[in-house]
Amino acid sequence: MKSKPWILAAVGVGLLVALPALLSQSLVNAAIQMLIAALFACAFNLLCGQAGMLSFGHAAYFGVGTFATVHAMNAFNGAGLLPTPLMPLAGAVAGLLTGVVAGWFATQRTGTYFAMITLALAELLHALAPHLKGLFGGEAGISAMRMPAWGLTFGSSTEVYYLVLAWVLLSLVLLYLFTLTPVGRLTLGLRENSQRLKFLGYDVHRLNVTVFAISAMFAGIAGGLQALNTESANYVLLEGQVSAAVVLNSYIGGVSVFLGPALGAALMTFFGYAVSDLTRSWLLYQGVLFVLVMMFMPTGLTGFIRWFGASRRAHGTVALLPTLCAGLLAGLLLTAGTVFTVELLQRFFSQDYRAMAVLNAGAGWAPIPLFGCHWPPTAVATWAVPLGLWAVGVALVRITARLWHALQEHAGHVESPTARQGGAL
């Protein structure tokens, strides 16, 4: 049983290595972004999930790492002391130094005050960036080119993918090994009871700054990989939206598990890649998903996976199957009703549709094309579709709850994912 996680890790690494042979070039590019987002989320989780310090400004260190790497790419041209495969080291150094300075100020306070200081520092950097054109390139940003090194051209997405994969795996191993060190163990003490560490004689502020700087360093490596992938950097990387995304990704995956944020970041990045081409409302769906996870699965997706494993061992797969099927069907119906309503309203209130309605004022409201059909917006039957989907979905939710309670009555009690509070905000 102890070797099972290592077997799963080996299978996962093997799958990642074989991925470019299974995907198109566009999906390989998406996989690169997923890997970078996964590393960024794990770097953030060192500070938030393990040390208990919620940062709202981690985009600053990601962005600084990106800009430092772009400058290094232009300065070294992929040769000399810093060839192209080692370029993320520039991002690591920049992230580390910035993290030491920012961490010294931010860790003077804890809790909400700490979060607000990190947000203020990131917004300060974002406000200064357009005016520091020598460092950040102004509105146009800075561009660079990946140069050949070590017999590789880095001209294809596949070569970039393997370079990013190597750095991500190395960084994740180093982050995991850090959690096994004495300082890594003390990091958990910062989350649980920092006052007790202080009474035991530890310099809590120095420890906070150390953890903050290490987290910023790995965020800088992720930023460096982003520079290698896009061959450019713009100060939009310093925006609060980037900081919010890493918080969202980490909590959706589960901050209580080491690779939980990586899972959440990879899935949400792919979600954005797949859905953004289909609808303009994909950010709304992303926000709704985050709210639902925090309400009903506060331990994130990894917490749900662990709960499912415990439930399967307690009740058996066959006994659990009706509950799972009912819950899955309920989720699909509720999702379908929500998507139908959001997409219909989005098209109804769009400027194109309103302009068409003005031009054809005497013809009434034109039917809205959606999902291969035309739906009259004023017809009762149109709105009866989402209402019917929601009604059946809610009924199935109630049935799912009854099936689950019946299982608990016939077997030992297993804590449901909605009852767990560890890892919640």
Side-chain angles (χ1 to χ4, degrees):
M1 293 298 293
K2 291 184 178 180
S3 63
K4 186 177 180 180
W6 296 106
I7 295 175
L8 293 176
V11 172
V13 171
L15 180 61
L16 290 173
V17 170
L19 212 54
L22 306 174
L23 303 178
S24 63
Q25 286 298 305
S26 61
L27 290 178
V28 170
N29 290 326
I32 293 173
Q33 288 299 131
M34 291 166 65
L35 288 172
I36 294 172
L39 176 56
F40 186 26
C42 285
F44 169 80
N45 192 51
L46 173 64
L47 184 67
C48 177
Q50 297 182 46
M53 293 183 281
L54 178 59
S55 170
F56 285 148
H58 237 54
Y61 319 108
F62 180 84
V64 165
T66 305
F67 277 101
T69 304
V70 169
H71 282 297
M73 291 169 70
N74 289 326
F76 291 92
N77 291 320
L81 296 176
L82 206 62
T84 298
L86 300 183
M87 283 295 172
L89 290 176
V93 173
L96 178 64
L97 295 178
T98 308
V100 169
V101 176
W104 189 88
F105 287 102
T107 55
Q108 300 285 343
R109 294 293 182 267
T110 59
T112 304
Y113 302 103
F114 168 83
M116 292 300 101
I117 292 173
T118 59
L119 176 61
L121 291 174
E123 289 301 313
L124 176 63
L125 183 61
H126 178 252
L128 289 175
H131 306 288
L132 302 175
K133 295 184 179 180
L135 290 175
F136 300 101
E139 295 286 342
I142 304 174
S143 60
M145 289 185 64
R146 295 186 298 266
M147 302 302 292
W150 297 358
L152 299 171
T153 63
F154 299 106
S156 67
S157 299
T158 301
E159 290 184 350
V160 176
Y161 172 85
Y162 283 119
L163 176 60
V164 171
L165 177 61
W167 271 101
V168 169
L169 292 178
L170 175 62
S171 300
L172 292 180
V173 169
L174 292 176
L175 279 170
Y176 179 74
L177 292 177
F178 173 78
T179 63
L180 304 180
T181 64
V183 178
R185 297 298 185 185
L186 288 176
T187 301
L188 298 177
L190 291 175
R191 182 188 66 190
E192 300 299 332
N193 195 333
S194 60
Q195 291 296 326
R196 189 168 186 176
L197 288 181
K198 187 180 296 185
F199 289 144
L200 291 175
Y202 292 102
D203 189 338
V204 173
H205 182 245
R206 180 179 297 180
L207 183 59
N208 281 330
V209 174
T210 300
V211 176
F212 194 106
I214 293 175
S215 175
M217 180 183 71
F218 283 99
I221 293 176
L225 295 175
Q226 179 73 5
L228 287 174
N229 182 39
T230 61
E231 299 180 298
S232 63
N234 193 283
Y235 73 90
V236 295
L237 293 171
L238 305 172
E239 289 182 348
Q241 181 180 349
V242 181
S243 296
V246 72
V247 176
L248 181 148
N249 294 341
S250 298
Y251 275 96
I252 284 180
V255 296
S256 61
V257 179
F258 177 75
L259 288 179
L263 174 63
L267 290 178
M268 294 308 295
T269 301
F270 181 78
F271 176 85
Y273 174 83
V275 179
S276 60
D277 292 335
L278 301 176
T279 175
R280 298 177 182 178
S281 305
W282 68 277
L283 285 175
L284 173 63
Y285 296 130
Q286 193 178 59
V288 170
L289 179 60
F290 176 69
V291 171
L292 292 176
V293 169
M294 290 298 95
M295 288 180 62
F296 301 106
M297 290 189 297
T299 54
L301 296 176
T302 52
F304 177 80
I305 293 172
R306 291 193 295 181
W307 166 83
F308 174 74
S311 300
R312 186 173 58 84
R313 290 190 297 270
H315 306 292
T317 304
V318 176
L320 198 61
L321 194 59
T323 305
L324 291 176
C325 291
L328 179 61
L329 184 57
L332 291 175
L333 291 174
L334 292 173
T335 300
T338 302
V339 170
F340 184 95
T341 304
V342 170
E343 295 302 316
L344 195 65
L345 291 175
Q346 187 272 323
R347 286 161 173 75
F348 180 77
F349 288 108
S350 66
Q351 293 182 354
D352 294 340
Y353 184 80
R354 306 295 287 184
M356 184 178 63
V358 171
L359 291 175
N360 302 283
W365 298 103
I368 299 174
L370 182 64
F371 303 131
C373 299
H374 289 76
W375 307 89
T378 56
V380 175
T382 298
W383 300 104
V385 173
L387 290 176
L389 292 172
W390 284 333
V392 178
V394 170
L396 283 173
V397 168
R398 295 174 179 267
I399 293 174
T400 303
R402 292 172 183 170
L403 291 173
W404 173 246
H405 290 308
L407 278 178
Q408 289 180 310
E409 291 178 357
H410 288 85
H413 174 72
V414 176
E415 188 179 11
S416 71
T418 59
R420 293 174 181 259
Q421 297 301 320
L425 284 171

